[in-house]
Amino acid sequence: MRLSDLLKFKRGKNLFLPAHGRGKALPCEVKDLLRRKPGSWDLPELPDIGGICDPDGSIFRSQNMSAKLLGADYCWYGVNGATGLLQGALFAIAKPGQYVLMPRNVHKSIIYGCILTDIKPVLFDIPFLDDRGHWLPPDHRCIQQVFNTLHEQNIDVSAVVLVNPTYHGYASNLRTQIDLIHSYNIPVLVDEAHGTHFSFLIDKFTPEAALNSGADLVVNSLHKSLTGLVQTAVLCMKGDLIDPVNIQKSLSCLQTSSPSALLLSSCEASLSDWGKSSNSIRLQNLVKNAQEIFYQLCDYGLPVLKTDDPFRIILHTSRFGISGFEADNWFIKNGLVAELPEPGTLTFCLGFSSHRGLAKTLNKKWNQLLDESYRRDCYPPFEKAPFPQIMNPEASLSLSWNSQFESIPLLDAINRVCADLICPYPPGIPFSIPGEVLNEPLINWMINQSSLWPNSIPSKIRVVR
């Protein structure tokens, strides 16, 4: 089937990203553009439109308006997803050979950014929930312990990357962590790809937005947690720890010189749309409806897990001996398409469209799944990865990635230097990265995990020859 045919294909109920729900929640401005003569909106960087890094033009003025809306000093749109903006931000806050501290659940684009620039990542371990196999964001105490260890090992980091919220919607108190990091005069980049809506939800029931928590740089994915088209994102900057000129220089290296005018318009519209008072009320109502769906599912007895993002519904399938991957296949065949299957859970993303009757539908489908003659497994607590508190690769990521390599069975890779990135994404915990020495506990753990992650952990791994 051709790609164009796949795009026309009628799928089941939309419970996956992008968050606009197959167009239902797109801003009116974008819907109007898409109804016009096909391709009429496909324009280049004309003088009156300008570009993302231009000092004048409509894009420049639009970015300034969005910065004011979000409470930022500067704002840049992105049309190659949060990936390009995360890498651009990373390039601006660290130089080749410098250390950047980041959690184990960092997006793989950051690791690729380190490979491209020879920045040295220092990965720190984060809390793990062994009943479901999920990682949690760190808290203030965890960050303090990490900095104590960095001091003991004489590692000076030039910047810190944090991820908040996680893919599943778990969030932590960023303000205390950022205050601690700032006490060392170190800038903080927050990957808030899944939490853009927190900027428009100011109440005690949802986490505080990263920018409001004192972050210096924040990257938001507008298609994951707002109503933008796929590939739309925004980078915001606040404070004086980073020179905005460095950001523009970095983005100029990574952004296309022919950005899609449609995607740029989507960036603007998805942000300005929620800045309207009428839509602010609508967003609050969507949160209320999402919370009602969660509590209805609890009343029905479904194994749903609580997170900090009301728009995430997580089924704890392994509690009933069912892999999230198997449950996902069954649901797709029966008209419900989820976002994120994993060994222990299946995550649904509600997005910003209406889901009337969803709780009843999910309850009915879940009970049908349980009634079928399904193979049940006995899931013990999920085994935590044997990651050290902090891991500093012994070899350069760039050199290891670009070195001559050999592909060998996992069991034969003990004590070899990794030339590979093994990162089942989503959700994106790097099991191994280039430059890392593969010790025996890690290799044995990956071998054990391979039975839980079908097609995600290869039987062979590339190591430096």
Side-chain angles (χ1 to χ4, degrees), residues 9 19 94 173 198 279 289 302 305 356 434:
F9 184 66
N173 184 345
F198 294 162
N279 279 344
N289 293 338
L302 269 71
L305 297 168
R356 186 173 299 172

Side-chain angles (χ1 to χ4, degrees), residues 387-441:
F387 297 136
Q389 183 191 27
I390 66 169
M391 194 282 290
N392 173 25
E394 295 192 20
S396 158
L397 270 70
S398 296
L399 292 177
S400 300
W401 180 263
N402 292 298
S403 67
Q404 290 190 338
F405 66 87
E406 53 184 327
S407 185
I408 61 176
L410 274 175
L411 199 55
D412 295 336
I414 295 173
N415 295 327
R416 299 291 296 272
V417 176
C418 184
D420 217 342
L421 174 62
I422 296 182
C423 182
Y425 195 83
I429 303 294
F431 291 171
S432 66
I433 67 172
E436 179 178 8
V437 175
L438 301 164
N439 59 43
E440 186 173 1

Side-chain angles (χ1 to χ4, degrees), residues 133 144 152 180-181 197 202 264 313 355 361-362 384 439-440 442:
Q144 183 64 73
E152 292 169 5
L180 171 61
I181 297 165
H197 51 302
I202 305 174
L264 290 170
I313 299 293
H355 294 287
T361 301
L362 263 177
K384 189 180 189 299
N439 59 43
E440 186 173 1
L442 180 60

